[in-house]
Amino acid sequence: MSRRPPRRSVLRGLAAAGTAVIGFDPFTRSWAVTPSDRPLHGIPELDGTLHTDEAALSAAADDFGHIVHRRPAAVLRPGSVADVVAMVRFCHRRGIPVAPRGQGHATNGQAQVAGGLVVETTPLAAIQPLGPGSSSVRVGAGAKWSDVAKATLVHGLTPPVFTDYLELSVGGTLSVGGLGGQTHRHGAQVDNVLELEVVTGAGELLRCSPDRHRDLFLAVLAGLGQCAVVVGATVRLVRAPETVRHYLLPYDDLRTFVEDQRLLVRDRRFSYVEGQIVPDAAGAFRGYVIEAVAYGPPAGDVPDDAVLLRGLRHDPSGAEITDIPYYDFLDRLAPAVAALKEAGLWAYAHPWLNLLLPGRKAADVAGRLLDALTPGDVGPGGVVLLYPLVRERLRTPLLRMPDDPVPYLFAVLRSTPPDDTAAVRRLLAANRSAYDLVRAAGGTRYPVGSVPFDQADWRRHFGSAWPRLAAARKTYDPRGILVPGQGIF
Ligand SMILES: Cc1cc2nc3c(=O)[nH]c(=O)nc-3n(C[C@H](O)[C@H](O)[C@H](O)COP(=O)(O)OP(=O)(O)OC[C@H]3O[C@@H](n4cnc5c(N)ncnc54)[C@H](O)[C@@H]3O)c2cc1C
C-alpha cells in the first residue's frame, strides 16, 4: 500500500482547505496558482503543504529585523524530510532559489527569497528519545533550543552551549555559529555537532560528519545555508547542573571590566561569562556589568563565592548573587521578551550590530565605539554586550574569528521604529562604519546582524576559508539556488 495518498487527492484537499496550489511554468519561469484539476507541471507529491496565500507569503517576507522584505512565490511546510528533498530537487532542476527558514530571527532578510521557495523547518522538530548512557541527541533542524533543553534535562543532560535566547531553531543557529556565555569553555554550538543530516542544493539527502563527507560538514556548519539545508543534527550532551549561582558584578571602568573578564575565562572559574554595558544618567555608555554563572552539582561543585570572586575589582556593594534552577537560567530572557512583546517593541526594526574584536585591542576598540554611542542609537529595549571567547575552543573554519587567543564579542542590539526609514538607514550606515573600524583593527563580524555587505566583503570575511566554501558550493549546490538572502555568491 502506498504511504502517501494520490497526488490529486492531496491537491484537492489543499484546495478544499482554501490553500492555493501552485504550479511552475518552465516557459515563463514563474509560479502560478493552478486549479487542482489541471496538470501541475511536475510539482511533486507532498506529505506536507505548499502555500501561496497572502498570510504565508507576507510572513515569509519579514523577519525579526523588519527591515528587508522579499516576497517568495511559495512556502513549503514539509510533512517529512522527503518533502524537502522533493522540493529542493524540483527547484534545482528549474533554477528556482530556495531558503530554509527556522524561527525567522535573522535581522537582514537572510532567510528571505524573492520569487523563490521558502522551506519552513518548524515541522521538522522531532527530538529522538535518549537511551541509557546517551551522550548525544538527534534533533530535527526545526527544533527550538528550548525544546532540546527540556527534552535532555529530563535525563540530567544538556547541550553544552546555548544562545542567550532559546526560541531559535537548531538549523538557524548552526548555520551561523551559535555563541553564548559557555563558548569560552565549549566553543560555539557548531563545535558541538557530531553529525548532520542535510539536503544539498542538488536535492540529495546526505549524512555528514568529521569522518563522512567532511567537506560538506565543514561547509554547512556556520556556512550560512550556502551548500545545504540542514534537516537534522546530532548534538553533544554533557551533565546538567540542577541549580546555578548567578552573579552580576558592576564595574565603573571599561579596561578593568575587560581585564577581569579575561582573567575569568583564563582561569575557567565560571561555566558562563558574558557582560553588558549600560548608559549612565547622562546617557554615556560607562556602566559595565559582568554576568557570570557557576554550575552547581552534579555538573560542578557547590559554588564558593570567596574562590570564584578572588582578585576581581568590581564594586562589591553593587554585586547581585542569586541561586536559580538551571532551566530558569537558560530561559532568563523569557520575561524580558514577554515584556517587549507586550510593549510592541518586538515589532520594532532591529538593525543589529554583531562584531568580533581582537582581545588585545578589545578595550580600545570597544571604547571608541562606545564613546560614539547614544541611548537613541540603541533604542528602547536595546542591549549592548561585550564578552570574551576562547579561540582554541572555536574549531569551525567558517565561523571567522580574529587572530587572537581571546576574541571578544561586541554587540549593539538596536531597536528603532520600523516606519522611521531614515533612522534605520542611518543605523545601518553606522553599522558599516563600526565594522570598518573593527576590521582595520583585525576584527571581523558575527554574521547575524545587519551590516551592509557585498560579495567582495564576503570573500574577505571568509579569507583563507573562501576557496573551500566556494568549492563546496560548486559541488553541492551547482546551480547556486540556496539562500540568496545572504548575498554571498
Ligand atoms: C532575540 C535574539 C537573541 C539572539 N541571541 C543570540 C545569541 O545569544 N547567540 C548567537 O549566536 N546568536 C543569537 N541570535 C542570532 C541567531 O542565532 C541567528 O539569527 C539565528 O540564525 C536565528 O535562528 P532562526 O531559527 O531564527 O534562523 P532564521 O532567521 O530562520 O535563518 C537564519 C539563516 O539561517 C538559514 N537557515 C535557517 N535554517 C536553516 C537550516 N535548517 N539549514 C540551513 N540554513 C538554515 C536561513 O536561510 C538564514 O540564512 C539571537 C537572535 C535574536 C533575535
Side-chain angles (χ1 to χ4, degrees):
M1 202 172 76
S2 160
R3 188 170 59 86
R4 298 176 190 167
R7 189 177 79 191
R8 283 172 73 88
S9 73
V10 172
L11 299 175
R12 285 226 176 85
L14 286 174
T19 305
V21 172
I22 57 169
F24 183 75
D25 186 330
F27 300 106
T28 60
R29 288 177 49 81
S30 64
W31 301 75
V33 175
T34 308
S36 60
D37 54 356
R38 286 232 312 263
L40 283 166
H41 309 297
I43 288 258
E45 284 178 36
L46 297 172
D47 297 322
T49 51
L50 204 52
H51 297 257
T52 57
D53 56 288
E54 179 51 38
L57 298 188
S58 51
D62 195 11
D63 56 30
F64 182 72
H66 307 300
I67 298 168
V68 172
H69 301 285
R70 297 191 196 99
R71 207 175 152 83
V75 173
L76 172 67
R77 299 200 174 125
S80 60
V81 166
D83 281 359
V84 181
V85 172
M87 283 309 296
V88 171
R89 224 170 252 180
F90 176 86
C91 291
H92 162 72
R93 286 198 199 107
R94 293 158 177 84
I96 299 169
V98 176
R101 175 185 169 100
Q103 288 296 308
H105 281 67
T107 63
N108 205 31
Q110 289 95 328
Q112 297 179 30
V113 51
L117 178 72
V118 166
V119 177
E120 289 185 357
T121 61
T122 319
L124 305 176
I127 300 175
Q128 201 183 52
L130 295 184
S134 295
S135 57
S136 63
V137 63
R138 272 186 66 188
V139 301
K144 293 187 289 180
W145 286 101
S146 54
D147 295 326
V148 180
K150 284 177 202 151
T152 55
L153 277 177
V154 174
H155 301 271
L157 296 168
T158 177
V161 186
F162 285 92
T163 49
D164 295 341
Y165 181 51
L166 296 185
E167 309 310 320
L168 305 168
S169 76
V170 168
T173 71
L174 295 186
S175 81
V176 295
L179 301 174
Q182 302 93 343
T183 293
H184 76 277
R185 288 258 196 154
H186 297 284
Q189 287 178 325
V190 282
D191 296 306
N192 292 280
V193 175
L194 305 179
E195 186 183 71
L196 292 171
E197 191 179 13
V198 305
V199 177
T200 68
E204 198 181 357
L205 180 63
L206 290 175
R207 282 183 188 280
C208 57
S209 71
D211 309 316
R212 193 174 181 185
H213 300 299
R214 181 180 167 80
D215 60 332
L216 179 61
F217 187 66
L218 295 180
V220 173
L221 293 172
L224 306 176
Q226 299 302 296
C227 295
V229 177
V230 178
V231 290
T234 305
V235 177
R236 189 169 81 88
L237 298 175
V238 293
R239 291 191 86 177
E242 279 172 13
T243 60
V244 305
R245 186 164 294 176
H246 182 262
Y247 298 77
L248 292 174
L249 310 172
Y251 287 75
D252 59 11
D253 175 64
L254 174 60
R255 200 164 292 279
T256 314
F257 162 76
V258 165
E259 283 170 7
D260 276 5
Q261 283 183 317
R262 178 188 289 268
L263 171 82
L264 292 184
V265 301
R266 193 196 62 205
D267 285 3
R268 296 166 61 91
R269 285 191 208 179
F270 288 95
S271 301
Y272 164 107
V273 176
E274 288 201 6
Q276 278 197 32
I277 302 168
V278 293
D280 62 16
F285 281 82
R286 284 202 213 110
Y288 316 94
V289 184
I290 289 183
E291 185 188 26
V293 172
Y295 287 2
D301 299 329
V302 175
D304 178 337
D305 295 347
V307 172
L308 290 166
L309 303 180
R310 191 182 53 231
L312 296 183
R313 292 163 289 170
H314 61 285
D315 170 8
S317 67
E320 291 174 34
I321 304 176
T322 41
D323 288 326
I324 47 176
Y326 176 61
Y327 187 80
D328 291 1
F329 156 64
L330 295 180
D331 200 28
R332 64 201 173 279
L333 292 194
V337 169
L340 290 172
K341 286 184 177 168
E342 178 80 28
L345 296 173
W346 204 248
Y348 267 34
H350 296 103
W352 281 11
L353 174 66
N354 304 70
L355 300 169
L356 292 156
L357 316 181
R360 61 190 176 280
K361 296 185 190 162
D364 290 339
V365 175
R368 282 183 67 184
L369 295 171
L370 291 167
D371 282 348
L373 198 65
T374 68
D377 296 334
V378 180
V383 174
V384 181
L385 298 174
L386 181 63
Y387 65 84
L389 313 170
V390 170
R391 185 76 185 79
E392 66 179 10
R393 310 254 160 235
L394 294 155
R395 295 175 306 274
T396 298
L398 293 183
L399 181 52
R400 305 308 289 164
M401 284 286 150
D403 183 14
D404 188 286
V406 185
Y408 277 67
L409 177 85
F410 177 78
V412 183
L413 308 182
R414 309 178 193 271
S415 116
T416 190
D419 41 3
D420 187 350
T421 49
V424 171
R425 269 202 308 276
R426 180 179 69 75
L427 295 170
L428 292 174
N431 286 354
R432 178 66 207 206
S433 305
Y435 167 74
D436 288 337
L437 175 84
V438 164
R439 195 177 150 261
T444 182
R445 68 177 284 215
Y446 179 44
V448 298
S450 305
V451 176
F453 235 48
D454 63 22
Q455 291 183 350
D457 291 320
W458 280 117
R459 233 171 232 252
R460 253 196 314 268
H461 169 81
F462 284 111
S464 59
W466 174 262
R468 261 182 291 164
L469 175 63
R473 170 84 163 188
K474 232 181 189 165
T475 307
Y476 295 106
D477 182 16
R479 296 202 66 181
I481 61 169
L482 289 179
V483 189
Q486 297 280 6
I488 297 174
F489 286 98

